[in-house]
Structures are given as C-alpha cells and as structure tokens.
Amino acid sequence: MTIKTYPQDRIAAQPIGYWTRETANLTIGALRTALAEEHLTQPHWWTLNHIATTPHTWQRTTLTEKLAPYDDQNTDFNAVYDDLTTRGWLTETNGTLTLTEAGEAGRQRAHTRNAAVHTRMREGIDATTYATTINTLRRLTANLGGNADLP
C-alpha cells in the first residue's frame, strides 16, 4: 500500500494523540476481529498464551491479577476460564490451569490469524523502523510518567 508523502516539518507537527489512538483502535479492532473467527476475545487469547508460555504455574487468581491491567472490557476472567474449560481447551487440576491439546490447537489457529493482522499492519515497515517507533512511544510514555518497560 502506498501512502501520501508529506514534508517532515508537517509530519513532525502532527498530534501524537490522534495517531496513537487511531492506530491503537484499528490494531485492536483487527485483532479482535481475527480472534472472533475462533470465537475468542482478547482475554481468551491472553489466557491461552500465558498458560502455554509457562505451563502448570497459573491459578485463576494469579492469572487474573496478571491480565486485568491490560483489560479494557471489564472482563469476568472466571467466565473466560470457565468457557475455555467447557470447550475442552483448559483443564483445572488442584487449582492449576493447563492447556489441553485442543486448546493448543485453537491457540495456534488464533496465532495464525493474529500473525496475518500483524503482517498486514507492518507492511512496508522494516524491523529497524518498527523498533524505532516502539522506542519512541516508550520514551513518550516515560516522559509522561508512565511505565516504559516492555509488557
């Protein structure tokens, strides 16, 4: 995709809030649409990934504490865990959540859909430019008193 070129001074005068919000809204919308094709929400996705990354370590309370700060939908995480358990994607033994083979297969399908969104989003942007953009946003965050550490 080609985008219109503007002089650097005109670009530098653009409101960062507009562009970060616009990008965030479009990114989140595209990812949520991709996940919906697997009948998943972002909290479902986060749950599957955390359990897959560090298996046999998550209980409902600790996982909810980890995920809740990223939630903007007032999610009932217990309902998410129950849904994934009902689907046969999670089991819960002695309070520990574990991904099943079906859960890993679903996670992989969702990963493929999300990867397609990320590929489309990053079209025409090399890794160096992308990293510079992230570091710029991290610096803006830190300058405004926020946490610039990676999630």
Side-chain angles (χ1 to χ4, degrees), residues 74-115:
N74 200 25
T75 298
D76 176 351
F77 282 95
N78 282 315
V80 170
Y81 310 144
D82 290 343
D83 178 56
L84 291 169
T85 301
T86 299
R87 292 180 194 211
W89 289 23
L90 287 182
T91 61
E92 190 169 5
T93 307
N94 298 324
T96 301
L97 299 166
T98 305
L99 208 57
T100 65
E101 284 185 33
E104 178 57 19
R107 188 182 79 83
Q108 288 299 324
R109 287 191 307 272
H111 178 295
T112 299
R113 293 179 190 285
N114 277 352

Side-chain angles (χ1 to χ4, degrees), residues 28 31-32 35 40-53 58 63-64 66-75 77 80-81 84 99 107 110 114:
I28 292 166
L31 290 169
R32 287 179 178 170
L35 290 169
L40 299 172
T41 64
Q42 280 184 305
H44 283 92
W45 173 244
W46 302 333
T47 298
L48 294 169
N49 278 318
H50 277 75
I51 293 171
T53 303
W58 294 106
L63 188 54
T64 299
K66 174 71 174 179
L67 301 178
Y70 303 103
D71 181 41
D72 65 352
Q73 301 174 71
N74 200 25
T75 298
F77 282 95
V80 170
Y81 310 144
L84 291 169
L99 208 57
R107 188 182 79 83
N114 277 352

